[in-house]
Amino acid sequence: MTRNVRLPDRVVASPAECRSAILNAIRGATRELSLSLFRCNDADIFAELAAARTRGVAVDALVTARAAGGTKKLKKLRQTLLDAGASVHIYADPVVKYHAKYLVADDGP
């Protein structure tokens, strides 16, 4: 019989470790992924999000409505997330610039 073993909480601060930590979190999700980002062009991240959707994992993404670099890049990001099967939500406060970045898999740590 297989038991789900909860891994200990871990803080990843090294840029060299961040990518693999993100990919591992996506790969380990069984029910849901919640993420917030404003920039990403890593094809492997999008491929893992699509694979998670194929496994039946719900993927919800919160994206800012504005960022440096213009609306073209944000539109491309939103479309790439949609193509991966994510539900995309736009943070649209007219005053506050949204800059949060997070990824929570299932119930989080």
Side-chain angles (χ1 to χ4, degrees), residues 64-75:
T64 186
R66 60 185 188 172
T71 57
K72 264 183 151 177
K73 288 182 181 181
L74 285 173
K75 185 176 180 181

Side-chain angles (χ1 to χ4, degrees), residues 52-66:
R53 286 294 303 130
T54 300
R55 293 192 312 271
V57 175
V59 178
D60 287 303
L62 180 60
V63 181
T64 186
R66 60 185 188 172

Side-chain angles (χ1 to χ4, degrees), residues 5-102:
V5 177
R6 182 178 167 149
L7 297 174
D9 293 351
R10 185 174 85 126
V11 174
V12 178
S14 164
E17 292 182 71
C18 287
R19 185 173 184 273
S20 63
I22 291 168
L23 290 168
N24 288 334
I26 296 170
R27 289 176 186 140
T30 59
R31 293 182 318 280
E32 61 185 339
L33 284 165
S34 297
L35 61 129
S36 174
L37 67 164
F38 70 96
R39 190 175 295 139
C40 181
N41 61 1
D42 189 320
D44 291 340
I45 299 289
F46 295 114
E48 289 300 334
L49 290 173
R53 286 294 303 130
T54 300
R55 293 192 312 271
V57 175
V59 178
D60 287 303
L62 180 60
V63 181
T64 186
R66 60 185 188 172
T71 57
K72 264 183 151 177
K73 288 182 181 181
L74 285 173
K75 185 176 180 181
K76 182 177 179 181
L77 172 63
R78 290 191 298 265
Q79 188 58 53
T80 305
L81 287 164
L82 288 168
D83 292 345
S87 295
V88 177
H89 312 277
I90 300 171
Y91 182 87
D93 187 304
V95 178
V96 177
K97 183 176 178 182
Y98 186 79
H99 196 70
K101 296 162 282 296
Y102 61 81

